[in-house]
Amino acid sequence: MRFEDMSWAKRSRLPGAMRYHVVWLGRLTGWVLLGLLLGNVLVLGLGFAGADNVSVSDASASLGTAIALALYCALIAAGSRTRFLLRFGTPRLSVWLSNVLALMAGMALFLLGTLALNALSATGVWALSKAMPDRYALISYHKAAPAGDALLGWLLARGLSALPKQLLWLCEWTAIFYLLGCCLRRNKVVTLMVVIGVPLALGMLLLVPAVNETIAALEDASEGQIMMMGLKWVQWLSKAARFIANQWQWVQLGAAVASLPLSYVCMRGTPQP
């Protein structure tokens, strides 16, 4: 077969790069899931060992664990895994695309795995609570949670309903973390200065004038003026909290979308091994 007759996927070596990511990423996520499974088995075994009040209150996916693993995997993919693929002459676009696709797909599958493990754990505790109600209990602190046997179905349905949003957030953070890994691979000092220094500088620019004004006013202010100033601070903090709560999803989405082309630009300059 002539070179010009080959498909773009074969010429780009994208399938081979994806297979490489499947091997190391699947092995890593598999070991983490195995550790989580052993932890759940250990918790279930505490009741048989004589422990009281072994309870489970959630059957949703472990988003925090998945985000932490996404950070670790993104740093690896942007570093040694990228250099390994470039060693065999794989085009940089294929390396970048395989990194992004493999990370997002792998983290999504890992999140689904944590959902399955937590659902099995909740089901196991529910079943054991029937035989040993003094040691096992399926509980929920949510006001809308039903009582009795309907609680298990409610927890499972709640976990499934939260899954689409969790998958979106995980993909967004994965894109951001991959950009961070690419920047750290190019220049660690500058990246850390930007990641730590820019938010710190912005916070100082916002808070220092307000703090100085408050200190100057407190020197000659009356008790009533001090109370009014305290109320202003509470209002300012509540407005900031409301802004973060209402707009953070869009800020996070915008950062993730911008991270994709920026990560390619940064990764493209990785030198050939």
Side-chain angles (χ1 to χ4, degrees), residues 31-219:
W31 279 112
V32 176
L33 286 174
L34 180 60
L36 295 177
L37 175 61
L38 293 177
N40 289 346
V41 172
L42 179 61
V43 170
L44 293 177
L46 291 176
F48 292 99
D52 296 333
N53 299 323
V54 178
S55 61
V56 170
S57 60
D58 192 19
S60 60
S62 302
L63 180 60
T65 304
I67 289 177
L69 183 62
L71 174 59
Y72 179 72
C73 292
L75 296 180
I76 295 178
S80 59
R81 306 302 174 180
T82 293
R83 294 296 299 273
F84 178 82
L85 291 174
L86 290 177
R87 182 180 304 163
F88 300 97
T90 307
R92 281 168 167 75
L93 178 60
S94 299
V95 173
W96 171 81
L97 189 60
S98 66
N99 288 348
V100 172
L101 293 178
L103 284 172
M104 290 187 177
M107 293 305 101
L109 291 175
F110 176 79
L111 188 68
L112 292 174
T114 62
L115 175 63
L117 290 179
N118 292 337
L120 287 174
S121 178
T123 304
V125 168
W126 174 80
L128 291 172
S129 66
K130 300 296 183 181
M132 293 178 286
D134 56 330
R135 296 186 179 182
Y136 294 93
L138 186 64
I139 61 176
S140 177
Y141 301 102
H142 200 278
K143 293 182 179 179
D149 294 338
L151 179 58
L152 177 61
W154 185 84
L155 288 176
L156 295 176
R158 191 163 180 260
L160 287 174
S161 64
L163 185 61
K165 184 180 292 185
Q166 290 175 334
L167 286 171
L168 175 62
W169 289 349
L170 182 58
C171 289
E172 291 171 354
W173 279 111
T174 301
I176 296 172
F177 290 153
Y178 179 64
L179 173 62
L180 176 63
C182 292
C183 293
L184 287 172
R185 181 67 186 81
R186 294 296 300 277
N187 196 314
K188 293 182 176 62
V189 176
V190 174
T191 301
L192 292 176
M193 289 177 60
V194 172
V195 172
I196 299 175
V198 171
L200 183 61
L202 291 176
M204 295 294 292
L205 289 174
L206 290 174
L207 292 178
V208 168
V211 172
N212 291 336
E213 182 182 352
T214 302
I215 293 175
L218 288 176
E219 295 177 353

Side-chain angles (χ1 to χ4, degrees), residues 224-239:
Q225 291 174 330
I226 293 175
M227 292 182 62
M228 291 299 298
M229 193 167 298
L231 290 175
K232 288 183 179 180
W233 269 94
V234 172
Q235 291 176 353
W236 184 85
L237 292 175
S238 63
K239 287 181 180 179

